[in-house]
Amino acid sequence: MVSVEQVVDGRPGRPASVGTIYKGLNDNPAPVLFRQSLETELTAWLGQQLPARPTDQPVLLCVRQLLVSETVTSSILADKPIAGAELALDV
């Protein structure tokens, strides 16, 4: 088995935003940002979700693409957000 030792940002230009979502009653577009950095946040999150065991082989993940999107569709009763994500990694 493997454990993620570190995540690095290999996206061209390393943009701060990874996409757009819609917030509030007026569905205002808002960028999706990490509080710290993509590398710091994903390294910490993966460490919590997949804790390393003594027998695991440590790996480095390189994020090549990360894009989240949200589309809001309206119906008579309510708006319905549909979310999506694209992710490409190298180990």
Side-chain angles (χ1 to χ4, degrees), residues 1-86:
M1 297 296 294
V2 299
S3 65
V4 178
E5 186 172 80
Q6 183 181 2
V7 176
V8 296
D9 190 351
R11 298 173 300 147
R14 298 176 61 160
S17 173
V18 294
T20 302
I21 60 170
Y22 296 91
K23 296 173 68 172
L25 295 175
N26 296 326
D27 291 326
N28 295 323
V32 177
L33 304 167
F34 287 96
R35 287 192 173 119
Q36 295 177 24
S37 70
L38 177 144
E39 295 159 324
T40 302
E41 299 269 341
L42 287 182
T43 299
W45 185 79
L46 286 168
Q48 290 175 350
Q49 300 302 311
L50 306 167
R53 297 173 298 196
T55 57
D56 287 349
Q57 176 68 39
V59 297
L60 180 136
L61 287 182
C62 181
V63 176
R64 297 292 180 193
Q65 177 182 351
L66 176 57
L67 179 63
V68 296
S69 63
E70 186 175 61
T71 305
V72 177
T73 59
S74 293
S75 70
I76 294 172
L77 299 176
D79 290 339
K80 298 180 197 176
I82 300 170
E86 294 179 34

